[in-house]
Amino acid sequence: SQTIHQWPATLVQPVGSPLSLECTVEGTSNPNLYWYRQAAGRGLQLLFYSIGIDQISSEVPQNLSASRPQDRQFILSSKKLLLSDSGFYLCAWSGYRNTYEQYFGPGTRLTVT
Amino acid sequence: AQKVTQAQTEISVVEKEDVTLDCVYETRDTTYYLFWYKQPPSGELVFLIRRNSFDEQNEISGRYSWNFQKSTSSFNFTITASQVVDSAVYFCALRNGSFQKLVFGTGTRLLVSP
């Protein structure tokens, strides 16, 4: 069966510090991968999605970036965090082509102070 | 453009009451997919159901049922005999036939009290 992992689970970082959140998927090959952000009490905002290694699309211009160095690894980064980057970050995967639902990881709660 | 509207921000019910969560969608595509997700307090989104645009048959799974009506562009979710464990935020989402992205509604927070 497929499993998706995210770490860290929680993170408190000062403004201006770098960020690296990692997501890995097990039990499937060539998944589509997604990063979402959920601000407190708000809906989900798609940040990035990837259909393959080094194939990443950005949905929202911001100071975040994403990379996919391996087939089942998706990394969300920032060189300098802003207060507005605080939120709950969710990674998700979906099957290649003909599976439609996305499956989400446990999330990372980021607080920028 | 695609859009999902969940007009109910928060609903409070007492255990054993039935509750319906509304979802209205907009799309120009003839082939699309609709989803419901549950987000418990732990934060992880849990997939509940997918419905294809060409299948309007309603579905029942235990205490959960879904009513898909293309004529009104709605995909409503009913919980029968609600339980405290049903307390969560519920999201409706839409995906068109050819693209992988999901468009989420803003969610409905359901609070079931004993």
Side-chain angles (χ1 to χ4, degrees):
Chain A
S1 63
Q2 299 84 13
T3 309
I4 180 168
H5 304 279
Q6 282 186 249
W7 64 90
T10 60
L11 192 60
V12 180
Q13 293 283 91
V15 168
S17 64
L19 173 73
S20 180
L21 303 181
E22 189 163 343
C23 170
T24 59
V25 181
E26 297 177 354
T28 186
S29 297
N30 199 22
N32 297 313
L33 297 172
Y34 311 82
W35 277 113
Y36 289 87
R37 177 170 60 199
Q38 186 178 27
R42 305 284 295 276
L44 284 85
Q45 179 186 40
L46 178 64
L47 302 176
F48 300 94
Y49 67 94
S50 171
I51 61 172
I53 293 176
D54 295 330
Q55 299 179 69
I56 297 169
S57 297
S58 173
E59 288 295 295
V60 182
Q62 58 213 323
N63 69 320
L64 298 173
S65 62
S67 61
R68 184 170 177 175
Q70 300 179 42
D71 179 46
R72 289 170 289 177
Q73 184 184 29
F74 205 21
I75 297 172
L76 183 68
S77 304
S78 174
K79 293 182 179 178
K80 290 185 177 182
L81 283 169
L82 307 173
L83 285 175
S84 57
D85 291 324
S86 292
F88 190 52
Y89 288 82
L90 287 156
C91 181
W93 74 273
S94 66
Y96 181 64
R97 288 190 181 278
N98 292 325
T99 58
Y100 306 100
E101 49 269 20
Q102 294 179 16
Y103 297 95
F104 288 79
T108 295
R109 198 164 300 280
L110 171 66
T111 303
V112 182
T113 59
Chain B
Q2 297 186 326
K3 184 179 179 182
V4 175
T5 301
Q6 295 181 255
Q8 303 153 308
T9 304
E10 187 168 314
I11 301 174
S12 293
V13 298
V14 177
E15 209 169 18
K16 297 185 183 178
E17 285 185 20
D18 298 347
V19 58
T20 296
L21 310 181
D22 297 333
C23 173
V24 174
Y25 62 92
E26 296 176 27
T27 181
R28 294 181 180 178
D29 297 306
T30 55
T31 300
Y32 52 90
Y33 305 88
L34 295 162
F35 308 82
W36 275 96
Y37 285 85
K38 175 182 180 180
Q39 186 177 38
S42 61
E44 180 176 348
L45 265 77
V46 178
F47 166 72
L48 296 178
I49 191 173
R50 179 192 74 205
R51 193 38 110 215
N52 307 331
S53 57
F54 44 86
D55 180 7
E56 284 194 74
Q57 187 174 5
N58 292 328
E59 182 155 339
I60 298 174
S61 177
R63 296 184 297 107
Y64 294 172
S65 63
W66 291 268
N67 184 349
F68 176 31
Q69 291 195 343
K70 291 178 73 172
S71 61
T72 56
S73 297
S74 64
F75 185 42
N76 296 336
F77 174 27
T78 297
I79 301 175
T80 303
S82 59
Q83 299 177 1
V84 173
V85 293
D86 296 326
S87 296
V89 179
Y90 291 86
F91 290 95
C92 182
L94 167 69
R95 201 205 96 164
N96 71 17
S98 59
F99 204 49
Q100 295 281 350
K101 293 193 298 181
L102 290 181
V103 175
F104 283 86
T106 51
T108 296
R109 181 178 301 277
L110 175 64
L111 178 60
V112 182
S113 53

